[in-house]
Amino acid sequence: RKEVEQDPGPFNVPEGATVAFNCTYSNSASQSFFWYRQDCRKEPKLLMSVYSSGNEDGRFTAQLNRASQYISLLIRDSKLSDSATYLCVVKRGQGFSFIFGKGTRLLVKP
Amino acid sequence: GAVVSQHPSWVICKSGTSVKIECRSLDFQATTMFWYRQFPKQSLMLMATSNEGSKATYEQGVEKDKFLINHASLTLSTLTVTSAHPEDSSFYICSAGEIGSVGSEAFFGQGTRLTVV
């Protein structure tokens, strides 16, 4: 089983739609969780950290379920500019070793 | 936020030659930097962990004699792809985090697109 798994998509949604991505991780000792966004041929950029209590940043909501070992990202009122690949990222241990999921591709259409 | 600079951003080299990629933390010190590789339509794969002043730790399946890593200072790590072949063509990205900021995000360099012809 891969350490971090995501549905690769693509998710094709109309502007204004709500879309949700899930990600599962296998290492129960994983300590920190993040969603990164990666545009084509660019480096990943942090979208948001994920906390057990859930956190929201504008149109984006992230949730962590430690018991079931999954992380979710909800995007409301999708914009064309949200089109990108969303990477679920798990930090391994205390250091800065990040394990990436394969990414979920989102395409928002007019 | 912290800045990680990677150079060059792209390089084309002939098969059999070596290519060096630099990763610098510009405004913070990083005892540990990480090197990733990303093939088209694939995710980033961790290649190795670069530790300042000591040997790098390589992930399973990554040839340490082919991908030489040097972390000579707290702000610079280099990855040298030796005797490059076309199958080494990929997007290479480094990341680093600040000393003492255990819970924080990592910062990524801009990436280096390597094409071996």
Side-chain angles (χ1 to χ4, degrees):
Chain A
R1 182 184 173 188
K2 291 196 170 84
E3 200 162 342
V4 180
E5 294 201 67
Q6 287 182 256
D7 180 346
F11 284 60
N12 294 295
V13 302
E15 256 186 302
T18 295
V19 60
F21 307 138
N22 286 328
C23 162
T24 58
Y25 61 95
S26 62
N27 188 341
S28 59
S30 300
Q31 300 195 359
S32 304
F33 309 88
F34 306 86
W35 284 102
Y36 276 73
R37 170 190 170 136
Q38 186 177 26
D39 293 293
C40 189
R41 294 176 175 261
K42 300 282 189 181
E43 76 277 19
K45 292 188 185 295
L46 179 68
L47 180 64
M48 58 198 308
S49 302
V50 187
Y51 306 115
S52 296
S53 54
N55 49 305
E56 187 174 313
D57 182 4
R59 298 181 293 108
F60 299 86
T61 301
Q63 292 276 352
L64 165 64
N65 184 318
R66 284 191 183 271
S68 301
Q69 294 182 205
Y70 80 81
I71 306 146
S72 64
L73 175 68
L74 181 77
I75 304 175
R76 291 180 298 276
D77 189 22
S78 300
K79 310 290 185 191
L80 295 177
S81 57
D82 293 334
S83 298
T85 296
Y86 291 83
L87 302 169
C88 172
V89 184
V90 173
K91 185 185 282 189
R92 181 197 281 172
Q94 292 288 330
F96 287 97
S97 178
F98 282 54
I99 306 300
F100 287 79
K102 285 197 170 184
T104 298
R105 192 163 167 232
L106 172 65
L107 184 59
V108 181
K109 297 184 174 180
Chain B
V3 178
V4 174
S5 176
Q6 193 172 335
H7 177 81
S9 56
W10 62 270
V11 58
I12 301 173
C13 72
K14 289 185 177 180
S15 189
T17 62
S18 296
V19 174
K20 180 185 283 188
I21 303 170
E22 292 187 349
C23 180
R24 294 180 184 273
S25 55
L26 296 185
D27 55 357
F28 66 99
Q29 294 183 324
T31 53
T32 305
M33 292 186 178
F34 299 89
W35 287 96
Y36 295 85
R37 177 170 54 182
Q38 186 177 35
F39 292 107
K41 298 187 179 181
Q42 299 291 315
S43 184
L44 279 78
M45 297 298 295
L46 179 64
M47 297 175 66
T49 303
S50 169
N51 302 297
E52 186 266 337
S54 64
K55 289 183 179 179
T57 303
Y58 290 82
E59 294 295 301
Q60 192 174 10
V62 178
E63 299 174 60
K64 61 181 181 181
D65 294 329
K66 180 169 184 64
F67 298 98
L68 301 179
I69 291 173
N70 183 280
H71 195 152
S73 75
L74 286 172
T75 59
L76 174 64
S77 175
T78 60
L79 168 69
T80 301
V81 183
T82 63
S83 186
H85 288 96
E87 57 264 31
D88 298 324
S89 298
S90 187
F91 191 48
Y92 293 86
I93 304 180
C94 67
S95 75
E98 294 187 66
I99 296 174
S101 300
V102 174
S104 70
E105 66 185 280
F107 301 95
F108 289 86
Q110 302 93 325
T112 298
R113 191 160 299 281
L114 170 63
T115 302
V116 184
V117 297

